[in-house]
Amino acid sequence: MDITFDQVSYVYQPGSPFEHRALQDISFSIQSGSFVAIIGHTGSGKSTLLQHLNGLMQPTSGRVSVGPYDMEAGKKNKRLRELREKVGVVFQYPEHQLFEETVSKDIAFGPENFGVEEQEIQTRITEAVRATGLSEELLERSPFDLSGGQMRRVAISGVLAMNPEVLVLDEPTAGLDPSGQREIMDMFHNLHKEKQLTTVLVTHSMEDALKYADHIIILNNGEMYREGTPLEIFKQKEALEAVQLDVPEVIEFLAKVEEKMNIRLPYEGQSVAELAKDLARMVKGGRDLE
Amino acid sequence: MSHFPGNSQLSRGGEELEKNQIEFRNVSFRYHDEAPWVLRDVSFKIDADEWVAIIGHNGSGKSTIAKLMNGLLFPQEGEILVSGQKVEPDTIWDVRKQVGMVFQNPDNQFVGTTVRDDVAFGMENHGMPRELMVERIRESLQAVSMTDYERQEPHRLSGGQKQRVAIASVLAVSPKYIILDEATAMLDPKGRKEIMQTIRDVQGARNLSLITITHDLQEVTQADRVIVMNNGEVWMEGTPRDIFSEKDRLIDIGLDTPFISKLADELMNAGLTISREPLNHQELLEELWTLHSTK
């Protein structure tokens, strides 16, 4: 589903001494089927923005559209329920929200609430645990007897069982070990492609933004700071540092190579092996010329 | 699978050293009688002034080790010695004066209404005289660069600032050992940098042993020594350089190597000679520079 923000502002506790403007005049469009990363330091407005995507928050001014659903300041949206069926949100540390007696009941909770038929729910549970890599043997266990990594996968399965068209991910890999992080992100990326989802990822990891996203939005103090493709964004080292963000390590290292050795090797999404081949050739090339 | 590189402490030996060590002797632990073992026959030593990183996949037993070190849990088998004293229910108050802990979630470790009160809390528990407390608050906030925030309410601080205050609270009690249990996991990149800088400063300035439990590989490269846990057992012990040269095996047990280490590996595959496993950009750049300028 296409997502559009049109001059969206959001103010917490307006008119009180605690008034705080969390989003300021934000406009952007995300095409259906894109994988978008939203980055920015803590307090930049990422979480506030994210909560507009499924109508948990309504703009103080401006308009948010997600597919056919509009949320406009001052107007009541009667189709929030439909919107929430289409937009799946994986919040930070989603395993803290598990509550049912068994894994399968926990996964079924969302679709049951939206009146999905029993047989269809069973199919969805099977698909969801397959996607998240949970063994079906765990379905009748209590989610609280599982490891942290497994609990995270149960919580994510619950969101997937809603069959969302838009997937919103708020730092989905925080606290996982390196292989757990890779597995979860690869899984979301595969689902994104297979089911042609529109995916919005909030992340602190520039590496993940570079690896998975096709579009990046940077927020700073509630305002849109930059947007563009990962390669466009990560060329702007100084602009990123000005808002306390880093460039991904591969780009940083190549910049140092250029500075120190005058070897220019632009990053264009090459794998580490491809980069190494080019770099080795150029390093040796220097020797051959002399 | 596990192997132990030569243990240098053995040759140095002596009572004095033991006084400033944490030692695990054949420790096994499980949560109850029918539960699977979380730790199996774990032995290692952590020396004074040493920074040791403990890494391992989720569920490998890392955090259990931390909880055993300051008596939040007790082992079924084996023993744990902190400065030569066995950790058991009777000694935990002595042990906890020496072993400070900083946990993952910055929001779960505040008790005071101001930064100052919070740092004072631990000392009050240890019955410290007021003049000494005032002095210690000043010193420890200075050590983490948070002096200007003494009167602030903790909830108004950023995640990185909160964790620095948590470190100050631990420092104020003058422990010999500080354990950081995934203390940077919930922070943004800026917060992580702040904490890592603080840790380096503190370790440089005081005679402290640091034990950091982490998934962050960048953090691991800065430690003196690394203990790798796998399924409740010590899988490998060594310097970061030793550890990260075991790339394929690390990936097999759910871990990973830093980018720079992967790049060095691929550069060797592409025919370059890299003389030693690089730990940071500077080291790899120097290798490349040498190759580039050699005729």
Side-chain angles (χ1 to χ4, degrees), chain A residues 219-262:
Chain A
L219 295 182
N220 185 47
N221 292 331
E223 290 179 45
M224 168 79 85
Y225 181 70
R226 287 285 189 285
E227 72 172 315
T229 65
L231 295 182
E232 284 163 8
I233 291 287
F234 290 129
K235 267 181 203 154
Q236 310 172 45
K237 187 173 159 70
E238 274 135 43
L240 288 164
E241 278 169 357
V243 294
Q244 293 151 5
L245 297 173
D246 296 318
V247 296
E249 204 179 347
V250 53
I251 293 176
E252 197 189 338
F253 184 74
L254 292 175
K256 286 181 187 165
V257 168
E258 183 173 352
E259 189 186 328
K260 187 174 166 98
M261 301 166 48
N262 206 16

Side-chain angles (χ1 to χ4, degrees), chain B residues 106-223:
Chain B
D107 292 319
N108 288 352
Q109 32 199 334
F110 281 101
V111 283
T113 50
T114 64
V115 164
R116 182 192 169 83
D117 284 356
D118 208 83
V119 177
F121 180 77
M123 291 188 280
E124 280 170 349
N125 278 346
H126 290 300
M128 214 175 269
R130 190 187 145 77
E131 300 75 53
L132 186 59
M133 277 175 49
V134 173
E135 176 65 19
R136 288 276 183 85
I137 291 171
R138 199 181 52 76
E139 278 175 14
S140 37
L141 285 176
Q142 208 165 17
V144 300
S145 311
M146 287 294 290
T147 312
D148 296 345
Y149 297 86
E150 206 175 311
R151 311 264 169 193
Q152 276 253 19
E153 295 167 46
H155 73 265
R156 295 195 176 272
L157 304 176
S158 73
Q161 290 171 332
K162 283 178 189 169
Q163 291 298 63
R164 276 148 68 195
V165 173
I167 293 175
S169 304
V170 167
L171 284 178
V173 190
S174 285
K176 286 186 181 166
Y177 317 91
I178 295 186
I179 306 170
L180 296 139
D181 189 359
E182 297 196 42
T184 60
M186 293 178 84
L187 304 180
D188 65 13
K190 179 172 173 266
R192 280 187 190 199
K193 273 188 206 152
E194 287 174 10
I195 291 299
M196 291 319 294
Q197 188 57 48
T198 302
I199 292 175
R200 271 194 301 269
D201 292 350
V202 163
Q203 220 235 341
R206 304 185 178 216
N207 293 333
L208 271 172
S209 309
L210 267 178
I211 298 122
T212 55
I213 293 171
T214 184
H215 287 313
D216 188 319
L217 302 169
Q218 216 51 52
E219 225 174 280
V220 177
T221 60
Q222 299 172 30

